[in-house]
Amino acid sequence: MSIWEVFKRLRPFVDPYRSLIIFALLLTLVGALTAQVNPIVLRYTVDTIEKMQLKGWGVSQGASLLALISGILFAKEIINSLIVFGQRFYGEKIRIAISGDLANTAVSRILTYDLGFYSSNLNEKGKLQTRIDRGVEYLTRLVQNFFIDILPLFANSIVALVVMFSANLYVGLVALSILPVYFWVSYKQAGKLSGVRRILKGQREDKSNGMINLIESIQVIKSFVREKYEADKQFNVQRALMDSQLKTRRTNFLFDGIKSFLEQIGVVLIIILTAFLVLDQQMSIGAIMFHILLFNNVSAPIRQLHRIYDEMNDALTYSESFFAVLDAGGAVEKSGNYKPAGIEGDYLLKHVSFTYPNGNKALHDVSMSIRKNQTTALVGLSGAGKSTLINLLTRFYLPDSGMLLLDGKPIVDFDLPYLRENLGMVFQKNHIFKGSIEENIRYGKMDATMEQIQQAARKAYLHDQVMALPLQYRSDAQLLSGGQQQRIAIARLFLKNPPIIFLDEPTASLDAIATEQIKNSLDAIKEGRTVVIISHSLSQIIDSDQIYVMENGRVAEYGTHQSLYELNGVYRRIFEASARSLNLDKMLESLRK
Ligand code: ADP
């Protein structure tokens, strides 16, 4: 992306603040003009004092001059302070506003994207966050640089050059001829530093991440006696960081030195030329100070050039991946507009195949029917495609080919928000938001009354436990045990009350007691609904009305527990392995005693 493209993309974000920007630009212009007051006043002062001296005047005659120039400089300083304040404040205001708009746009945009977008390698949660945060940070810095640094400095520089040229063509030419050399040196400096700052940033992050990892894994480190190994690893990170820091400093000192040197050469050339013109009677002696101060105004922005250049490069790098996030239009979830009066929950799949965006072919030619008000279990080894199937049934993904009907209608035709309102899901680990138990249950129905929330918690066998907590429903939900969090997810579902429910290993991460309790909650919620359950728990599988056995993305077997057991195939193998892993014989022995 070129800088112009970036500005073009930024335009819609900048446009709403157009009047503010014009105001900031006006301030910039006034600021550039007032910056030239000092040289002019100084020239006037020197020339007037010189004339006074020639006339043999003393302090008493010069008092009015001193009063005049003090007044002018004082007034100029006040105006200048106001202008600088205005420039900074309004520049910052523009920056903050644009930064907010960019971030909001990114957030509302990614919320419309499908799961394929999120499962892409580029968008793993840390990376996506970095892409958005850095993008916003550097783009707004670009805007800020432009309005607070570049424009005022260059306006100042250009006005000073114009004044120099109008004072004398040759003086103007000398000042102008130094500029390309300066530019070149700054360009070289930026080139040397390019990337180093980014590397530095990465190294700083590595260092702090390293520390966090160290603390998190302290028990493992100690148990394997790897203290020295870890210390060495940290030391290497630290050393790399120190090397980069030193390299940056060295480059900066070197180039800053070269630039000071060049600037001094410019000053000397200006002094010599002006002295010559003064001696040649073409100018008054005040012109020497006048030109030196003007030259200072000309060269000031260039001292910052390498930094601005470098930051612009960063902005280019990060804005590219930021705008790519906004541009992932293909990832926007497509919704149909079919909204029946109610959803029954009859699914029919015919020859459905599916490939993940990364090319993983997860389902092959799957045909099945899921009947309303029945419980259908999906059984199979890990990676067989069970969760993928649920992802299709819940329309998080669309099949590559084949037919996927819900109540006889293609699932793509449904209005998406309406469809999702009618689906409920409980996973192995459910997301508990930061906040109270009440807020977390309320997620199922935002306008639920406290009464309804408690009712839902009761049905999920959670109410009594919540009431035993000191803060009851106001307790922090994230501090609850796994089993209790699972029940929050189930309570949410009771509140949402959807006709179709998907359970993806809902008890896999729970202990035996919690599993038994959750089973009660689940049995309660299954009533009168279409339920699809993935489970390794035999009791839940045996209870279901029909079972599909998946193997390598295909339906391998289908039937009830009894018929599949008699079939003596994949199901029986899995079933017997589960039973053996439970050590059923010994258990039965104990239970019989
Ligand atoms: P199961 O639920 O039966 O354990 P999954 O449906 O999770 O199996 O996985 C089926 C296959 O799809 C596996 O090979 C898995 O690696 C792959 N897979 C699952 N999720 C994704 C994803 N988001 N992107 C790419 N491949 C995936």
Side-chain angles (χ1 to χ4, degrees):
M1 236 176 163
S2 76
I3 192 82
W4 300 120
E5 277 169 307
V6 173
F7 273 114
K8 223 174 3 182
R9 291 299 309 260
L10 271 177
R11 221 189 128 153
F13 295 95
V14 176
D15 263 352
Y17 308 102
R18 195 183 294 175
S19 45
L20 205 59
I21 287 171
I22 292 176
F23 180 62
L25 290 180
L26 276 178
L27 285 181
T28 300
L29 190 66
V30 180
L33 293 175
T34 56
Q36 319 309 326
V37 168
N38 274 11
I40 295 174
V41 168
L42 229 94
R43 178 176 64 176
Y44 173 74
T45 313
V46 171
D47 290 346
T48 319
I49 289 178
E50 197 206 2
K51 279 181 208 143
M52 286 178 172
Q53 270 186 328
L54 288 177
K55 286 186 198 162
W57 288 7
V59 177
S60 54
Q61 288 95 336
S64 62
L65 171 73
L66 293 182
L68 176 69
I69 56 174
S70 309
I72 293 176
L73 289 181
F74 190 63
K76 176 238 145 186
E77 225 32 69
I78 289 179
I79 294 174
N80 212 41
S81 305
L82 289 176
I83 288 171
V84 170
F85 171 80
Q87 257 173 4
R88 298 217 159 167
F89 178 72
Y90 288 108
E92 195 66 5
K93 196 168 166 177
I94 294 168
R95 187 187 73 83
I96 290 172
I98 292 177
S99 146
D101 291 354
L102 282 167
N104 285 343
T105 307
V107 169
S108 35
R109 189 89 185 142
I110 61 170
L111 280 173
T112 66
Y113 291 163
D114 60 20
L115 285 194
F117 172 82
Y118 289 92
S119 68
S120 150
N121 277 342
L122 263 179
N123 300 326
E124 287 161 4
K125 60 183 172 192
K127 287 190 195 163
L128 189 59
Q129 187 200 7
T130 310
R131 288 173 69 186
I132 294 177
D133 284 354
R134 291 279 150 81
V136 171
E137 182 187 337
Y138 281 95
L139 281 168
T140 48
R141 199 177 288 174
L142 186 72
V143 173
Q144 188 192 20
N145 257 334
F146 193 67
F147 289 104
I148 297 185
D149 290 343
I150 304 182
L151 271 187
L153 283 170
F154 280 85
N156 190 350
S157 181
I158 289 168
V159 174
L161 254 184
V162 170
V163 178
M164 283 181 105
F165 266 106
S166 62
N168 183 279
L169 176 67
Y170 296 106
V171 174
L173 282 178
V174 168
L176 187 63
S177 63
I178 299 285
L179 294 188
V181 186
Y182 249 69
F183 269 103
W184 186 74
V185 174
S186 296
Y187 174 75
K188 284 279 156 197
Q189 181 174 15
K192 282 253 183 232
L193 290 178
S194 92
V196 179
R197 277 189 332 117
R198 219 166 306 142
I199 292 174
L200 260 176
K201 209 164 189 178
Q203 285 170 333
R204 285 207 190 97
E205 281 165 10
D206 280 353
K207 197 182 132 197
S208 58
N209 282 343
M211 285 298 279
I212 294 170
N213 282 338
L214 210 68
I215 296 165
E216 277 176 349
S217 26
I218 191 71
Q219 219 167 351
V220 184
I221 297 174
K222 284 190 177 294
S223 71
F224 284 97
V225 202
R226 292 284 179 269
E227 287 93 337
K228 184 167 168 356
Y229 169 73
E230 291 295 333
D232 288 347
K233 225 162 72 177
Q234 272 296 301
F235 180 63
N236 286 337
V237 173
Q238 178 70 37
R239 200 166 41 199
L241 175 65
M242 286 180 338
D243 286 347
S244 310
Q245 281 172 327
L246 213 57
K247 194 171 154 204
T248 321
R249 295 287 184 281
R250 197 180 52 203
T251 313
N252 271 337
F253 292 152
L254 182 68
F255 278 90
D256 288 349
I258 295 176
K259 282 195 291 190
S260 288
F261 183 70
L262 282 174
E263 198 176 348
Q264 288 316 309
I265 290 185
V267 171
V268 171
L269 284 179
I270 299 261
I271 292 177
I272 293 174
L273 179 62
T274 316
F276 171 77
L277 293 170
V278 172
L279 289 174
D280 201 33
Q281 313 248 320
Q282 294 189 37
M283 278 181 187
S284 60
I285 187 142
I288 296 184
M289 285 309 285
F290 180 58
H291 290 162
I292 290 173
L293 288 183
L294 284 176
F295 183 67
N296 192 44
N297 284 351
V298 174
S299 62
I302 297 159
R303 262 177 245 141
Q304 316 229 17
L305 209 60
H306 73 276
R307 182 179 59 79
I308 293 170
Y309 185 85
D310 204 26
E311 284 185 0
M312 266 195 183
N313 265 342
D314 279 351
L316 289 185
T317 316
Y318 287 111
S319 52
E320 200 151 327
S321 48
F322 175 80
F323 285 122
V325 172
L326 296 193
D327 292 343
V332 175
E333 284 189 309
K334 289 160 204 72
S335 173
N337 48 19
Y338 179 58
K339 262 188 186 181
I343 288 185
E344 301 275 337
D346 259 325
Y347 279 101
L348 184 66
L349 286 81
K350 281 205 170 140
H351 310 296
V352 166
S353 294
F354 173 72
T355 314
Y356 276 106
N358 71 352
N360 244 357
K361 190 141 201 226
L363 293 179
H364 311 261
D365 195 20
V366 170
S367 296
M368 62 170 61
S369 93
I370 290 166
R371 304 206 190 97
K372 67 177 173 197
N373 300 334
Q374 285 199 355
T375 297
T376 302
L378 302 176
V379 175
L381 302 180
S382 240
K386 306 179 296 292
S387 305
T388 305
L389 193 59
I390 287 193
N391 281 337
L392 295 192
L393 298 175
T394 47
R395 247 227 69 180
F396 282 123
Y397 292 99
L398 287 173
D400 306 342
S401 59
M403 214 165 66
L404 173 46
L405 305 180
L406 174 58
D407 294 344
K409 188 94 179 160
I411 199 162
V412 270
D413 293 350
F414 280 81
D415 178 86
L416 199 50
Y418 175 79
L419 176 67
R420 297 244 172 90
E421 285 294 339
N422 282 282
L423 306 178
M425 278 159 255
V426 175
F427 304 106
Q428 180 177 344
K429 272 204 79 64
N430 286 283
H431 191 75
I432 298 298
F433 294 94
K434 200 165 168 41
S436 66
I437 296 175
E438 181 193 334
E439 287 163 343
N440 265 284
I441 297 179
R442 194 188 294 280
Y443 212 76
K445 183 168 181 253
M446 293 313 245
D447 59 356
T449 61
M450 195 59 211
E451 190 47 46
Q452 289 173 316
I453 288 177
Q454 295 193 0
Q455 189 61 26
R458 251 182 226 112
K459 288 193 203 157
Y461 294 89
L462 180 66
H463 178 73
D464 293 341
Q465 296 185 12
V466 173
M467 293 313 274
L469 296 170
L471 289 175
Q472 301 187 333
Y473 279 87
R474 281 177 290 120
S475 315
D476 183 348
Q478 287 183 327
L479 296 182
L480 295 177
S481 73
Q484 288 168 328
Q485 294 192 351
Q486 203 69 348
R487 261 170 283 195
I488 286 192
I490 294 169
R492 261 185 212 153
L493 275 202
F494 273 116
L495 213 49
K496 186 178 184 186
N497 196 23
I500 308 174
I501 287 185
F502 296 92
L503 307 168
D504 193 343
E505 303 193 38
T507 54
S509 61
L510 302 179
D511 56 53
I513 303 283
T515 300
E516 193 189 4
Q517 289 171 343
I518 295 281
K519 189 172 178 311
N520 292 335
S521 321
L522 289 178
D523 287 343
I525 204 165
K526 279 178 184 170
E527 228 157 87
R529 300 174 210 265
T530 306
V531 177
V532 179
I533 181 168
I534 297 177
S535 183
H536 292 300
S537 142
L538 294 182
S539 65
Q540 284 165 8
I541 300 170
I542 294 173
D543 271 356
S544 42
D545 300 300
Q546 55 169 2
I547 301 169
Y548 280 93
V549 183
M550 310 273 305
E551 198 178 32
N552 298 327
R554 296 171 201 276
V555 174
E557 292 166 7
Y558 158 72
T560 59
H561 166 70
Q562 202 53 41
S563 69
L564 286 172
Y565 188 77
E566 281 158 16
L567 193 66
N568 203 0
V570 185
Y571 179 80
R572 178 139 174 188
R573 262 201 341 265
I574 296 176
F575 180 83
E576 287 182 347
S578 302
R580 274 197 304 277
S581 70
L582 288 175
N583 209 347
L584 271 184
D585 294 346
K586 284 227 168 119
M587 278 190 186
L588 285 175
E589 223 172 275
S590 305
L591 287 172
R592 273 197 212 103
K593 274 183 198 162

